[in-house]
Amino acid sequence: MNKTLEQMLVEQCAPTLAGVKPANLFRCPDHAELYHSVQEWNNRLRASGIRIRVLKRCRRTHACLIYVCRWDWICRTLAQQDTAEFLRANGYDLSKGTEGVLCQLSRRLCVQEDFPHEIGVFLGYPLRDVIGFIENQGQNYSCCGHWKCYGDADRAQRTFDAYKRCTAVYKRMYRRGVPLIKLVVAA
């Protein structure tokens, strides 16, 4: 059974919808109505501070990467001095604002064979863990869940557990008939 974009948003993005995580990224099969559905949900959720966009469409698999974010949270994250310096050092032009930086990330996703590891910044992973992943080439981490942690493992594990609980609650509520729009916590 093919899942609708609405179902995938609940299953893959509950922590972002709940306002406890700045962003999520998930793979979705491309289909005739996908871009229309993304635009429709983007318009419906914008008032709550959430934006949705297709970051990449794979030519080989025809799957799309859908990015869902709390716009103000991502803007604040990218404006933090240490994050901005990290992104500049990795070739991002921050003078184009958040929208421009997301376009640069999208281009990198489309042209690079491997995932650009700085994507963790855009998903709300601690900068220390993003840098640790790059420096250690994905090895030597202290714990692993939604990301590989190179910093405070206890704090990361509590965060992983909170995301898991949030997702379980949202999925349960959605199955019981609560519409997605009612599950969204406004910014």
Side-chain angles (χ1 to χ4, degrees):
M1 175 178 105
N2 288 336
K3 294 182 181 182
T4 66
L5 181 61
E6 180 177 355
Q7 291 168 308
M8 294 184 85
L9 288 169
V10 171
E11 292 175 4
Q12 302 294 324
C13 303
T16 299
L17 299 175
V20 297
K21 186 175 190 294
N24 283 95
L25 182 71
F26 66 94
R27 187 176 308 278
C28 181
D30 193 3
H31 54 83
E33 294 84 30
L34 178 63
Y35 286 86
H36 175 74
S37 293
V38 166
Q39 188 59 46
E40 181 181 312
W41 278 108
N42 188 51
N43 291 339
R44 291 179 74 185
L45 298 175
R46 187 176 286 258
S48 298
I50 295 174
R51 301 221 185 148
I52 303 172
R53 66 186 298 157
V54 175
L55 276 186
K56 176 184 180 179
R57 180 182 181 276
C58 180
R59 291 184 185 114
R60 186 175 49 78
T61 66
H62 303 290
C64 293
L65 286 177
I66 310 295
Y67 181 68
V68 179
C69 72
R70 292 270 172 181
W71 188 254
D72 290 345
W73 195 341
I74 291 300
C75 290
R76 286 190 310 273
T77 298
L78 299 181
Q80 293 171 351
Q81 184 176 349
D82 54 352
T83 302
E85 288 172 6
F86 169 76
L87 290 173
R88 273 192 214 94
N90 280 279
Y92 284 83
D93 178 359
L94 301 182
S95 70
K96 299 178 191 264
T98 302
E99 187 63 42
V101 173
L102 286 173
C103 287
Q104 292 171 66
L105 174 63
S106 179
R107 277 193 300 281
R108 287 177 181 220
L109 283 164
C110 291
V111 299
Q112 292 180 1
E113 192 169 312
D114 295 326
F115 248 56
H117 297 308
E118 70 275 6
I119 198 165
V121 167
F122 297 90
L123 296 171
Y125 302 168
L127 182 59
R128 178 177 178 182
D129 294 338
V130 174
I131 293 169
F133 182 89
I134 293 167
E135 290 175 349
N136 289 279
Q137 299 176 339
Q139 303 298 311
N140 307 316
Y141 48 88
S142 56
C143 77
C144 184
H146 288 263
W147 67 86
K148 290 183 178 177
C149 174
Y150 294 86
D152 186 340
D154 291 333
R155 182 176 181 185
Q157 191 59 57
R158 286 191 304 274
T159 301
F160 301 157
D161 293 344
Y163 293 169
K164 186 176 179 180
R165 284 190 308 275
C166 177
T167 300
V169 167
Y170 268 51
K171 287 168 72 173
R172 186 171 51 251
M173 291 173 70
Y174 185 75
R175 279 192 308 268
R176 290 181 179 164
V178 178
L180 180 142
I181 203 75
K182 298 264 187 203
L183 294 172
V184 176
V185 175

